[in-house]
Amino acid sequence: ASIAQSEPARAQPILQDQLPVLSQRIETLLGKLKAPAPEAGSREIELMSWWEDLCQRYGHRSIEWVLESGGEQAGQKIPAEMFDCVADNLIENALNKRLREPGLQVRVALDVKQPSLRVSDNGSAIPSGYAQKLMRTVVPSEDGLGVGLYQASRWARQHGYRMALIENLPGKVVFELVPDK
């Protein structure tokens, strides 16, 4: 959407490539909102394949991609739709924040050993009143309905993961998805 606003000619091919993926994500999320019970047949995908897909999906955006813990864990699988939902919510929130804070840097890091995902930015801290409520309830948002992080967090718990805002300082805001041990 931000590219469409600033560079309409460049946006057309990107939107054509991304619309089927976005439609699938929206359909999956709406299904989870209607019936958020755990799925027995949740699709799993190899972690590194998922990571490559994520990097490609957001390849046209200015994001720093970091692969941590020294490389691939052969055959490690993750719940694909849940990881997509969490990653998309966190990344899109950071990119929307960039519209309000030009020059904001977004970093996405994958630790293959856990596996865990961190999305961070160097922008302003989230106001403490909102930060305390994030992922625990629906929170009004500047950019949307405020349900994305709450629903993604619930879904993560159903799959044995937890989402957390692990740092919330001016210049360092970090969200994390980790296995719930």
Side-chain angles (χ1 to χ4, degrees), residues 55 77 158 173:
C55 293
K77 298 207 178 221
Q158 291 173 358
V173 177

Side-chain angles (χ1 to χ4, degrees), residues 96-104 121-124:
N96 286 335
K97 185 176 178 181
R98 182 187 285 164
L99 296 175
R100 295 185 304 276
E101 299 178 28
L104 182 104
D121 69 63
N122 65 344
S124 60

Side-chain angles (χ1 to χ4, degrees), residues 1-3 18 22 25 54 57-58 60-61 63 65 84-100 104 106 108 119 121 141 143-144 148-149:
S2 64
I3 290 175
Q18 294 298 314
L22 292 172
R25 298 263 181 307
L54 181 69
R57 195 163 65 238
Y58 287 96
H60 62 284
R61 309 302 288 271
I63 296 173
W65 300 99
D84 280 341
C85 177
V86 169
D88 289 344
N89 267 283
L90 295 175
I91 292 169
E92 288 299 329
N93 286 349
L95 293 173
N96 286 335
K97 185 176 178 181
R98 182 187 285 164
L99 296 175
R100 295 185 304 276
L104 182 104
V106 177
V108 180
V119 177
D121 69 63
S141 166
D143 304 310
L149 289 179

Side-chain angles (χ1 to χ4, degrees), residues 47-162:
L47 177 63
M48 294 310 297
S49 177
W50 174 82
W51 176 250
E52 290 167 7
D53 289 347
L54 181 69
C55 293
Q56 182 179 15
R57 195 163 65 238
Y58 287 96
H60 62 284
R61 309 302 288 271
S62 179
I63 296 173
E64 178 186 358
W65 300 99
V66 179
L67 187 59
E68 298 177 344
S69 293
E72 185 173 336
Q73 299 284 24
Q76 186 172 7
K77 298 207 178 221
I78 58 164
E81 288 86 2
M82 184 275 291
F83 262 69
D84 280 341
C85 177
V86 169
D88 289 344
N89 267 283
L90 295 175
I91 292 169
E92 288 299 329
N93 286 349
L95 293 173
N96 286 335
K97 185 176 178 181
R98 182 187 285 164
L99 296 175
R100 295 185 304 276
E101 299 178 28
L104 182 104
Q105 297 170 346
V106 177
R107 183 177 193 259
V108 180
L110 177 70
D111 183 330
V112 297
K113 286 185 181 175
Q114 291 196 29
S116 67
L117 180 71
R118 280 188 317 281
V119 177
S120 58
D121 69 63
N122 65 344
S124 60
I126 298 168
S128 63
Y130 286 109
Q132 293 171 356
K133 295 177 186 176
L134 283 176
M135 295 169 284
R136 294 187 181 131
T137 187
V138 174
V139 178
S141 166
E142 292 182 43
D143 304 310
L145 301 175
V147 72
L149 289 179
Y150 171 65
Q151 184 61 35
S153 177
R154 287 183 58 202
W155 199 2
R157 282 193 307 270
Q158 291 173 358
H159 284 280
Y161 287 80
R162 67 181 159 77

